[in-house]
Amino acid sequence: MSEIDQNTPADLREETAEDAPEVAANDRVAELENQLAEAKQNVLYAQAEIQNVRRRAEKEAQDARAYAATAFARDVLSVADNLSRGLSAIPADLRSDEKMKGLVTGLEATGRELESVFQRHGITKIAAEGQMLDPNKHQAMMEIPSDQPPGTIVQEMQVGYMIKDRLLRPAMVGVAKAG
């Protein structure tokens, strides 16, 4: 076997490159072009990642602004419940009594103002009675014999609320029993 037959393509290229500097320069240019293409690809990936991080941060900031009052709103719901229960417990004869009329009017005005504040902050009541049970909005507490179709809400024990498009508190309900 001759010496040329024993050489690998890489060895042959190196021997040729020693004798022809333009081959070595061409190899170096090809290597630099590959490095440049790789660097460009890395820059594109980095830019895409920065864009994704920016979008996520904007979404999180927007959600934080929109839902910042969630914990506070949940706490205030018990105040609204107690006010509503108090108003509904006042008998009709006391409502018409001149001594109590001012108190009842004040409590009703407070209830309306609380509802107005809820509306301004995107807090809305969940429709329940007469609706079909939606486990995303309603919590079934009991089944009640009824002439309504099974799964229909026939009694609301506690009002449910949404804050914008998120559940703040499910409505606690009684649903029509099958059969």
Side-chain angles (χ1 to χ4, degrees):
M1 251 193 188
S2 71
E3 189 177 306
I4 294 175
D5 291 339
Q6 294 175 353
N7 288 344
T8 64
D11 293 337
L12 184 60
R13 186 155 184 87
E14 283 181 28
E15 280 182 32
T16 309
E18 289 172 12
D19 296 334
E22 64 276 355
V23 173
N26 189 33
D27 287 350
R28 181 72 181 137
V29 167
E31 180 183 335
L32 290 173
E33 285 175 347
N34 287 339
Q35 289 176 355
L36 178 62
E38 187 177 319
K40 283 181 179 179
Q41 192 66 32
N42 289 341
V43 166
L44 288 175
Y45 285 138
Q47 287 175 337
E49 182 62 23
I50 288 169
Q51 189 71 16
N52 288 339
V53 167
R54 184 178 297 127
R55 279 193 204 119
R56 269 194 306 274
E58 287 172 2
K59 173 84 170 95
E60 288 171 5
Q62 183 180 10
D63 284 352
R65 282 189 299 274
Y67 303 108
T70 299
F72 178 73
R74 264 193 204 106
D75 292 342
V76 173
L77 290 181
S78 65
V79 173
D81 292 341
N82 289 333
L83 181 61
S84 177
R85 278 192 289 271
L87 280 169
S88 64
I90 299 173
D93 59 327
L94 283 181
R95 285 179 183 272
S96 60
D97 185 349
E98 286 302 316
K99 291 179 184 175
M100 296 300 285
K101 207 171 217 172
L103 175 64
V104 171
T105 303
L107 289 174
E108 288 172 342
T110 302
R112 285 190 302 274
E113 181 62 24
L114 190 56
E115 288 294 319
S116 173
V117 168
F118 283 174
Q119 290 295 323
R120 281 196 305 269
H121 292 280
I123 300 169
T124 56
K125 287 184 179 181
I126 296 172
E129 254 184 80
Q131 304 287 317
M132 290 302 290
L133 180 72
D134 178 355
N136 297 314
K137 295 180 180 179
H138 308 119
Q139 183 174 350
M141 302 303 291
M142 64 182 162
E143 289 185 317
I144 302 169
S146 171
D147 57 349
Q148 297 287 326
T152 303
I153 297 170
V154 292
Q155 182 182 357
E156 183 177 51
M157 290 164 271
Q158 186 179 49
V159 177
Y161 289 89
M162 300 286 290
I163 183 166
K164 298 192 182 359
D165 61 344
R166 289 188 184 171
L167 183 66
L168 187 58
R169 180 178 79 187
M172 292 188 185
V173 298
V175 295
K177 189 180 206 175

